[in-house]
């Protein structure tokens, strides 16, 4: 029979290892994308790779856990933005935050761009919830007359990816916050009234 005094310590170690793996995975996929290895994550977390598999079963299960957390953060952002009194403030804040999330995590940007393989049921549910939230943000802005009528919620999602490859061009360096300038110009172009009819 195990020494009862050792059980709480073992459980605390297991919780700490789990937290360290989650933080290490979040940092790793942010910097390197979804191709990072289980061994590299375990090293960054300060544990053995066996601990990763004991805690999560597979590297993919660990990635799913981390990505779902990122989606949940976006859903919370959308909830807050939907409560903004000014519909334009709510929409523009969400677009800026989503663009920033894409910039901050290469792994998140890869997941939101992926269409070739079916997501897990949990990710599918959150994807649908995010789409619905963006549709509501867009509808509020349309109803208030502050968003061009021809801009759709699908446009809003695609616009959030525009800053992903906007750091350098022909020797010009945008700087660390240059992407915010790009999103700001995009937002100005989305405001009503629009002047150029968008191609469909």
């Amino acid at each position: 029979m195990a020494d009862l005094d050792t059980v709480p310590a073992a459980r605390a170690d297991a919780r700490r290892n789990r937290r360290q793996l989650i933080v290490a995975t979040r940092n790793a996929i942010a910097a390197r994308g979804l191709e990072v290895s289980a061994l590299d994550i375990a090293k960054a977390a300060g544990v053995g790779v066996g601990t990763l598999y004991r805690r999560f079963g597979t590297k993919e299960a660990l990635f799913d856990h981390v990505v779902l957390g990122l989606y949940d953060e976006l859903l919370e952002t959308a909830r807050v933005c939907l409560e903004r009194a000014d519909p334009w403030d709510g929409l523009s804040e969400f677009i800026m935050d989503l663009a920033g999330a894409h910039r901050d995590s290469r792994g998140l940007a890869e997941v939101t761009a992926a269409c070739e393989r079916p997501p897990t049921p949990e990710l599918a549910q959150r994807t649908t919830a995010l789409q619905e939230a963006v549709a509501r943000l867009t509808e509020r802005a349309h109803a208030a007359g502050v968003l061009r009528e021809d801009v759709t919620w699908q446009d809003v999602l695609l616009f959030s990816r525009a800053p992903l490859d906007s750091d350098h061009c022909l020797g010009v360096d945008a700087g660390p916050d240059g992407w915010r300038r790009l999103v700001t110009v995009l937002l100005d172009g989305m405001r009503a009234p629009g002047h150029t009819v968008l191609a469909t």
Side-chain angles (χ1 to χ4, degrees), residues 19-43:
R19 285 194 302 270
Q20 290 174 181
L21 283 165
I22 291 170
V23 171
T25 301
R26 183 173 175 131
N27 292 338
I29 67 172
R32 299 164 57 186
L34 301 178
E35 296 304 315
V36 64
S37 71
L39 181 59
D40 286 344
I41 289 170
K43 285 181 178 178

Side-chain angles (χ1 to χ4, degrees), residues 35 62 125 195:
E35 296 304 315
L62 173 56
Q125 183 273 328
H195 297 288

Side-chain angles (χ1 to χ4, degrees), residues 57-74:
T58 66
K59 182 185 81 168
E60 290 71 26
L62 173 56
F63 280 16
D64 286 346
H65 180 85
V66 170
V67 169
L68 289 174
L70 293 170
Y71 269 58
D72 285 341
E73 290 175 11
L74 291 173

Side-chain angles (χ1 to χ4, degrees), residues 30-189:
R32 299 164 57 186
L34 301 178
E35 296 304 315
V36 64
S37 71
L39 181 59
D40 286 344
I41 289 170
K43 285 181 178 178
V47 301
V49 71
T51 299
L52 183 154
Y53 292 119
R54 283 195 298 276
R55 297 279 77 83
F56 290 93
T58 66
K59 182 185 81 168
E60 290 71 26
L62 173 56
F63 280 16
D64 286 346
H65 180 85
V66 170
V67 169
L68 289 174
L70 293 170
Y71 269 58
D72 285 341
E73 290 175 11
L74 291 173
L75 282 167
E76 175 61 18
T77 297
R79 184 193 66 77
V80 171
C81 290
L82 281 165
E83 293 177 354
R84 297 293 185 222
D86 186 313
W88 178 256
D89 288 346
L91 178 64
S92 60
E93 179 180 337
F94 181 80
I95 293 173
M96 188 68 78
D97 284 357
L98 180 56
H102 280 139
R103 289 277 306 193
D104 290 343
S105 178
R106 178 176 169 184
L108 176 66
E110 290 176 4
V111 171
T112 61
C115 297
E116 63 275 6
R117 73 178 180 89
T120 63
E122 294 82 6
L123 189 58
Q125 183 273 328
R126 285 165 174 80
T127 298
T128 299
L130 272 170
Q131 290 175 343
E132 291 173 348
V134 174
R136 291 199 299 274
L137 285 165
T138 305
E139 289 166 3
R140 289 180 75 227
H142 278 148
V146 294
L147 178 66
R148 289 174 55 149
E149 292 182 0
D150 51 355
V151 171
T152 68
W153 67 265
Q154 293 94 333
D155 292 327
V156 168
L157 288 176
L158 294 172
F159 290 162
S160 74
R161 300 183 63 83
L164 285 174
D165 187 27
S166 61
D167 292 332
H168 304 92
C169 182
L170 295 174
V172 175
D173 185 344
D177 291 321
W179 67 272
R180 293 183 180 275
R181 290 171 56 87
L182 176 60
V183 176
T184 300
V185 172
L186 281 172
L187 287 169
D188 282 348

